[in-house]
Amino acid sequence: MSPASNRIHKNNNRPHRRPLVAGHRVLSKCGKPLRSAGAFVRNLAAAFVVLTALLPAAAVVMADELAEQQSGSLLLRMQSGYTTATRLNTDVRMQISGTVARVRVTQVFRNDGNEWVEGVYVFPLPQDAAVDSLRMRAGDRVIEGEIREKETAKKEYEAARKAGKRASLVGQQRSNLFTTSLANIAPGETISIEVGYLETVKLDEGTFSLRFPMTLTPRYIPGRPVVDRQGNGWSEDTDRVPDASLITPPMVSHSDEHRINLHVEIDAGMPLDTIASRYHPIDVSNTDKRYVVTFSSDNEVTDHDLELLWRPVKTEVPEAALFAESIDNQQHLLLMLIPPGVARSEDDFQPRDLTLVVDTSGSMHGTSIEQARQSVLLALDGLRADDYFNVIQFNSITEPLFPRSVPATPENLRTAVSWVRQLKADGGTEMRPALLQALAGGSEHGLRQVVFVTDGAVGNEVELFNLIAARLGDTRLFTVGIGSAPNGWFMQKAAEAGRGSFVYISALHEVQEKMGRLLRRLREPMLTDIELQWPDGVQVEMYPSRVADLYSGEPVVVKARLGMPPRAGDQLIVRGNASGGGWSAAVPLAKSQDNPGVAALWARARIAELDGNERHSPDDDSIRRDIVDTALAYGLVSKHTSLVAVDKTPVRPQSADLGREQVPNLMPYGQSQRAIFGFPATGTMAPLMRMVGAVCLLLATLLFMLRVCSVTGPVRVARVATD
């Protein structure tokens, strides 16, 4: 059997850019009520309109200028203005053994300027990545990073920066968003930073997959701006996203330097039938069940997430896999178990009340909105006569198609299809009102399900996770990640909070396959009330601590730490309830394979669960301490720990100044800077505009009254004189 290489080429039809219209809207909107006044008042009204229009227009022009100056070049905004960026290339090497992937990402920085600089780069990683290594290389010198509590690492880095030493700091902003800072890059010097992490490979309906994010979609930042800012991003920090300036790096729409190389070695432990890449052409070679994957071209750019798939030959698809790693006489386990499918007839399906929520914000402009429209239309097509449904679109405002759920009659469906086909991407991403509306209501019409179709490009994820958990009730929430670089952390955590599932759709031709898979999950039975029975006398700490319900094709995945190695004959019993009755399986523990990295993945799972607890109890310092202790013990980056590497020898003369550069990210494929930055993406100047408008209206009223008095006054005098 030989492996297959499935080459999927990207569509080169780039979305057209539409004109910037936000400023014109304000003019038109504000002009109407003032047309009925007299000429004098009309003049005042015109002045008022111009004055109020100037403020948003100024904001729009600033965003537009930023986009134009960055377009086609690596220009960076610094305190002194724009300057040439440190160039960037990325090399990715993956070693996949069974279900564990060891990944090393090397990013190369070069200072082409004449000054000593500090580079800052925000980059995405998978949301489950256990980041555990940092290596800085400058010429022949190699400096290994060490894990520290976040504040300690920052102090070490700042001290080295001021002392003129080379230093690097890797910190976490979100579970899938990290920042690398690099101090004291000499003029003409090239420095490479290697970040290493571990990740669990996904298994879904018999196919293994791994997704590597290459860039990020600019996030919408709600809230009012606050005085101080923490970072150099394009957004101010706000009261709802306090770290907005740290998660909004500059973006460029085109670059000849954002190139990426890929080398993947797959040791699946079994012969493979298929290896495929959904969005990038690849080459595959095979030696004794070990497969090497590389890009076919040396010119791949970082504008689209990588998704790599591989499927064993049919007879080799595993029903269960158990991997282990022993540290300090404690056994760490990774279990992946596939429950059997249960066939059901159409009569077994219960009526549903399905709400489809569509993100129509500016970041969905281009191919994304078409993917979203097709996904919703496919869901509408799958409704049965006894189902109820509604469709909600949201951008800066939330708009439902119907006031409440309606029966899935042919007439209602025709109305919905017509409405969905005309949806356009426009405005901001106010997700909270849409979630509130979608999660409102009861289950009087059947099983309530919400399908949320979005790119997840928001900065207030924690606020939304808490909202879902508080308002979910009996509803189930499913997320569909749209676009070239959706926010994977939002997709996964929102679905977990909603007790649902999630899927990515990054190309139009995937809608039928992936949306169809999600719709089957909505229909087909869940495995519920899953319990794990460990051998008697064995102390176990496992994550997730409570196994969620499963949908068709999804495996049970658990990471556990045992207080002692398993004894001969020890078994793990897994039980659950399916529609056809009870189900159980036994997994021998003593036969588990050795696999380095399992311990770190267990620690990453523990930290993820503690992160969730901290979101609900932010003032509980014991949770923070547990996160720090776990991260330090296993050498992992977390929200409270960072990796820092410091060269002991100063290289920058104290007399030389140190500049600072923010390295931009490349815009995701199919998205437009104008569509995103042409609309408000953060706390705006609206309060100031309203205040200026009120003052202008008051001034206009006073002037109008003065004019009335000046016109009517002499007439009265004349009448008095006549009498």
Side-chain angles (χ1 to χ4, degrees):
M1 188 275 304
S2 62
S5 172
N6 183 9
R7 298 185 178 182
I8 301 173
H9 295 272
K10 294 186 291 186
N11 183 356
N12 291 323
N13 295 325
R14 300 281 174 175
H16 69 278
R17 291 185 172 184
R18 55 181 176 68
L20 201 60
V21 296
H24 298 295
R25 286 189 164 181
V26 175
L27 277 170
S28 174
K29 202 174 196 177
C30 298
K32 280 187 179 177
L34 300 173
R35 287 176 182 163
S36 59
F40 177 72
V41 178
R42 281 200 299 271
N43 291 337
L44 285 176
F48 160 70
V49 170
V50 170
L51 181 59
T52 53
L54 281 176
L55 290 171
V60 169
V61 167
M62 287 175 63
D64 187 37
E65 288 178 348
L66 181 63
E68 290 303 318
Q69 290 191 49
Q70 290 174 345
S71 178
S73 62
L74 287 174
L75 295 179
L76 305 173
R77 188 176 185 178
M78 302 173 63
Q79 292 182 351
S80 58
Y82 289 91
T83 187
T84 304
T86 304
R87 294 183 180 179
L88 171 68
N89 276 311
T90 303
D91 183 78
V92 179
R93 301 185 75 84
M94 301 180 180
Q95 191 83 34
I96 299 170
S97 178
T99 59
V100 178
R102 158 61 73 184
V103 184
R104 300 191 184 280
V105 183
T106 303
Q107 296 161 324
V108 180
F109 300 81
R110 187 172 71 239
N111 180 9
D112 290 329
N114 299 319
E115 302 174 359
W116 291 79
V117 298
E118 176 188 20
V120 181
Y121 180 50
V122 179
F123 61 100
L125 288 178
Q127 59 268 19
D128 294 327
V131 180
D132 63 350
S133 69
L134 165 66
R135 180 175 296 164
M136 178 173 62
R137 187 187 303 272
D140 295 333
R141 296 186 64 80
V142 178
I143 302 99
E144 298 283 347
E146 297 180 6
I147 195 73
R148 297 278 191 275
E149 199 162 349
K150 195 166 193 174
E151 290 304 315
T152 303
K154 187 175 180 181
K155 288 178 182 177
E156 288 187 22
Y157 174 81
E158 290 295 333
R161 187 177 71 87
K162 291 178 181 176
K165 300 176 181 177
R166 291 191 191 93
S168 184
L169 178 70
V170 174
Q172 173 185 314
Q173 311 305 329
R174 298 286 188 275
S175 292
N176 63 342
L177 198 61
F178 295 78
T179 298
T180 292
S181 300
L182 187 59
N184 294 309
I185 310 175
E189 186 176 40
T190 297
I191 291 183
S192 70
I193 298 296
E194 179 188 291
V195 176
Y197 69 87
L198 291 153
E199 181 185 13
T200 306
V201 168
K202 305 294 184 297
L203 176 59
D204 189 356
E205 296 188 351
T207 299
F208 293 92
S209 68
L210 184 146
R211 193 176 179 96
F212 179 76
M214 293 194 187
T215 187
L216 51 95
T217 300
R219 283 166 160 77
Y220 176 79
I221 306 297
R224 297 173 181 274
V226 297
V227 176
D228 297 324
R229 60 156 53 213
Q230 303 179 57
N232 296 326
W234 53 260
S235 173
E236 304 286 340
D237 293 340
T238 73
D239 55 352
R240 291 172 65 185
V241 188
D243 63 346
S245 62
L246 294 173
I247 62 171
T248 52
M251 309 293 294
V252 290
S253 58
H254 171 77
S255 170
D256 292 329
E257 297 174 342
H258 282 73
R259 302 294 171 184
I260 185 167
N261 301 314
L262 178 73
H263 181 94
V264 182
E265 294 184 21
I266 302 175
D267 180 9
M270 62 193 81
L272 300 182
D273 178 68
T274 302
I275 299 179
S277 166
R278 286 191 180 273
Y279 317 116
H280 303 81
I282 57 172
D283 292 330
V284 180
S285 59
N286 173 18
T287 304
D288 192 24
K289 297 182 183 179
R290 298 176 71 91
Y291 302 84
V292 175
V293 181
T294 58
F295 284 144
S296 298
S297 168
D298 295 332
N299 293 314
E300 290 296 335
V301 295
T302 57
D303 68 345
H304 204 304
D305 290 355
L306 167 73
E307 187 170 331
L308 197 63
L309 316 171
W310 59 98
R311 176 186 283 272
V313 295
K314 193 168 183 179
T315 56
E316 298 288 345
V317 175
E319 294 183 353
L322 185 66
F323 302 91
E325 183 180 20
S326 182
I327 295 180
D328 296 334
N329 207 34
Q330 292 184 317
Q331 190 82 341
H332 300 77
L333 300 176
L334 167 61
L335 168 69
M336 194 174 287
L337 180 65
I338 303 174
V342 180
R344 299 181 72 186
S345 68
E346 285 287 315
D347 296 336
D348 293 332
F349 296 139
Q350 59 177 307
R352 296 180 300 160
D353 184 346
L354 179 64
T355 300
L356 299 158
V357 186
V358 193
D359 180 351
T360 55
S361 64
S363 63
M364 295 284 288
H365 180 74
T367 55
S368 294
I369 190 64
E370 183 58 27
Q371 294 164 14
R373 281 194 296 256
Q374 294 300 322
S375 298
V376 173
L377 291 174
L378 191 63
L380 291 173
D381 188 55
L383 289 171
R384 291 158 45 105
D386 54 352
D387 288 337
Y388 276 65
F389 79 101
N390 200 356
V391 187
I392 298 172
Q393 72 154 331
F394 73 94
N395 42 60
S396 296
I397 60 172
T398 295
E399 180 186 7
L401 171 59
F402 302 110
R404 60 188 63 84
S405 295
V406 297
T409 63
E411 181 180 0
N412 287 334
L413 287 172
R414 280 195 297 272
T415 301
V417 169
S418 176
W419 192 74
V420 169
R421 282 177 174 162
Q422 55 79 40
L423 293 177
K424 292 180 170 36
D426 196 359
T429 315
E430 288 293 345
M431 198 175 283
R432 180 184 170 84
L435 275 171
L436 281 171
Q437 185 151 355
L439 296 177
S443 55
E444 59 270 20
H445 300 309
L447 178 63
R448 288 210 75 236
Q449 296 174 332
V450 174
V451 176
F452 211 84
V453 184
T454 178
D455 58 12
V458 293
N460 59 327
E461 295 100 326
V462 171
E463 177 187 18
L464 299 172
F465 298 156
N466 291 337
L467 170 67
I468 294 169
R471 300 297 184 97
L472 185 68
D474 293 331
T475 303
R476 295 292 181 267
L477 175 70
F478 302 79
T479 55
V480 179
I482 293 289
S484 304
N487 181 350
W489 186 49
F490 175 83
M491 300 305 157
Q492 179 175 329
K493 290 301 176 184
E496 287 179 6
R499 302 180 65 184
S501 183
F502 70 99
V503 68
Y504 297 113
I505 295 178
S506 298
L508 200 56
H509 66 266
E510 296 176 348
V511 171
Q512 191 75 29
E513 172 203 346
K514 292 190 172 181
M515 196 65 190
R517 187 190 309 162
L518 181 66
L519 294 175
R520 285 198 301 276
R521 288 178 181 171
L522 268 64
R523 281 286 188 198
E524 294 181 5
M526 297 183 298
L527 187 65
T528 62
D529 304 320
I530 300 172
E531 294 181 353
L532 276 65
Q533 179 182 334
W534 297 91
D536 292 338
V538 176
Q539 189 176 7
V540 179
E541 188 175 4
M542 76 170 195
Y543 299 99
S545 55
R546 179 177 177 273
V547 181
D549 297 341
L550 294 178
Y551 294 85
S552 176
E554 292 182 326
V556 178
V557 179
V558 172
K559 301 172 180 85
R561 184 176 69 179
L562 279 56
M564 53 183 286
R567 298 155 300 196
D570 277 349
Q571 288 186 329
L572 168 65
I573 310 296
V574 185
R575 295 189 179 90
N577 292 323
S579 61
W583 168 84
S584 67
V587 182
L589 296 179
K591 294 183 179 179
S592 55
Q593 305 174 32
D594 291 332
N595 203 305
V598 170
L601 291 172
W602 172 85
R604 181 66 184 85
R606 184 172 197 265
I607 291 171
E609 185 146 317
L610 291 170
D611 281 343
N613 296 339
E614 193 176 40
R615 285 197 293 272
H616 296 297
S617 304
D619 298 327
D620 189 343
D621 192 60
S622 66
I623 300 175
R624 180 187 181 282
R625 194 68 250 167
D626 285 345
I627 293 174
V628 171
D629 290 345
T630 304
L632 293 179
Y634 289 84
L636 301 183
V637 174
S638 70
K639 62 191 296 186
H640 299 307
T641 55
S642 300
L643 278 165
V644 61
V646 176
D647 195 345
K648 304 301 181 187
T649 306
V651 293
R652 175 172 59 86
Q654 288 298 306
S655 57
D657 294 331
L658 180 66
R660 195 175 204 201
E661 296 185 355
Q662 174 85 41
V663 180
N665 286 70
L666 190 60
M667 284 291 293
Y669 169 74
Q671 293 192 344
S672 162
Q673 275 192 315
R674 287 184 183 274
I676 295 174
F677 292 108
F679 294 93
T682 182
T684 69
M685 302 173 72
L688 177 61
M689 292 163 54
R690 285 194 293 270
M691 184 182 68
V692 173
V695 171
C696 288
L697 282 174
L698 180 60
L699 180 61
T701 303
L702 290 174
L703 289 174
F704 179 76
M705 294 300 295
L706 287 173
R707 179 172 173 77
V708 169
C709 291
S710 66
V711 171
T712 57
V715 174
R716 286 182 180 176
V717 172
R719 284 178 181 169
V720 172
T722 302
D723 293 340

